[in-house]
Amino acid sequence: MKQLYKSIDQVNNVREIQALRRLSPHPNILTLHEVLYDRKSGCLVLICELMDMNIYELIRERRQPLPENKIRNYMYQLCKSLEHIHRNGIFHRDVKPENILIKQDVLKLADFGSCRSVFSKQPYTEYISTRWYRAPECLLTDGYYTYKMDVWSAGCVFYEICRSRAMNFDFPPKKGSGIRQLLPGISPDSISLMSAMLEYDPDDRLSASKALQHPYFEQPRTLEKHSLPYKIGLTEKSNTAASMNYLMRIAGQGRRQAMKPLPELAFQHHRPTFPMELPKLNVPGVSKTVPFSTLKFQSVFPTPGNSGKLPIIPSVKYIDTKFDIHQHGKSMMKPYHLPSLERKGGGF
């Protein structure tokens, strides 16, 4: 972001961040992964998913137009994105090829820095949108326009994709010939949809939700209906990870397996092979390190009285208690009888 921000509250109030958080997740809206804000410098960075290119980069160097099936697929996804943001109370106000990103056959709408709430009070900003895609009501009024301006801009993008080149707005003064003369290789349904999206009066202009019901999108609608059960996991023709029922069954098996007692693991303790030599230690009080094989140990805790030497323990005579009383006369030890213990209940 080019602007500098002074606080985290100001960052949270950024219109594009609020819009992306509100509109996500959607397959045709660019995903915001992370927001990085540096308090010291005031810099703000938005990290979004990586796409291959935008529509302008796709068509600018082409000599032949795109296949109509690919054009239909892209325009269907663009209308899906517009229908989603309009249904959530937001209109983009800057729909153009540079803000429409693609990755293989997936299209996503990006750059919501100019978006506005549908329920905000008019008049809006007069100088908005790129001039080549600006709706007539934006050019001829003092900010009194609606979300239908996005549909006009999408219609201009539709025309550019069909021609595979950017529009030339240096119009000479002459009578109009109509879109059909400029796009001779396009089907009648595409001309019908494009004309409905480029209606001069915004009240007569097609909305994004109505555009999705146009006969031009009959094929992608059919494909979407067939693929919908696989997306939500209602059918289970194959045990794939994309099936929600399959995942639920796997989770159930995991819960059942969790109830079974786990077998005891046999741990193998790796002990060193003896005899071995102990490592040398630098301990104060030991003047010489003695190898383990000599079996001679010295005290590492000397006492002041013996100057580091172990004290001499006097010998104690062992008295054998199993001697013959008849040979030695009376016993020097007095006999004692232990009291008997009563065990209750046979316990120990």
Side-chain angles (χ1 to χ4, degrees), residues 274-324:
F274 293 100
M276 64 175 292
E277 186 176 354
L278 296 176
K280 298 180 179 180
L281 301 176
N282 296 324
V283 182
V286 180
S287 59
K288 185 178 179 180
T289 304
V290 182
F292 177 77
S293 57
T294 59
L295 298 177
K296 293 180 180 180
F297 299 95
Q298 296 181 0
S299 174
V300 296
F301 302 103
T303 57
N306 55 18
S307 300
K309 297 182 180 180
L310 291 174
I312 300 175
I313 301 177
S315 61
V316 179
K317 294 182 179 181
Y318 172 73
I319 301 176
D320 188 5
T321 58
K322 295 181 180 181
F323 57 88
D324 193 356

Side-chain angles (χ1 to χ4, degrees), residues 79-96:
C79 291
K80 290 278 287 184
S81 65
L82 293 180
E83 189 271 338
H84 177 69
I85 67 173
H86 294 169
R87 183 159 42 87
N88 284 274
I90 296 174
F91 62 115
H92 193 280
R93 299 202 302 177
D94 197 15
V95 177
K96 58 181 179 180

Side-chain angles (χ1 to χ4, degrees), residues 235-243 245-247 249-250 253:
T235 61
E236 195 174 352
K237 295 183 179 180
S238 61
N239 290 339
T240 60
S243 174
N245 289 342
Y246 177 69
L247 295 177
R249 188 170 67 251
I250 292 297
Q253 292 177 359

Side-chain angles (χ1 to χ4, degrees), residues 79-145:
C79 291
K80 290 278 287 184
S81 65
L82 293 180
E83 189 271 338
H84 177 69
I85 67 173
H86 294 169
R87 183 159 42 87
N88 284 274
I90 296 174
F91 62 115
H92 193 280
R93 299 202 302 177
D94 197 15
V95 177
K96 58 181 179 180
E98 290 84 354
N99 292 338
I100 303 171
L101 308 181
I102 57 175
K103 186 174 184 180
Q104 297 178 355
D105 291 332
V106 178
L107 179 145
K108 298 200 176 189
L109 187 61
D111 194 357
F112 286 82
S114 301
C115 69
R116 192 69 184 265
S117 172
V118 173
F119 307 104
S120 56
K121 187 178 180 180
Q122 295 178 337
Y124 302 126
T125 305
E126 297 180 24
Y127 191 82
I128 195 64
S129 181
T130 306
R131 65 172 63 93
W132 299 325
Y133 309 93
R134 196 173 298 161
E137 60 268 25
C138 298
L139 295 170
L140 303 177
T141 65
D142 297 332
Y144 291 90
Y145 51 85

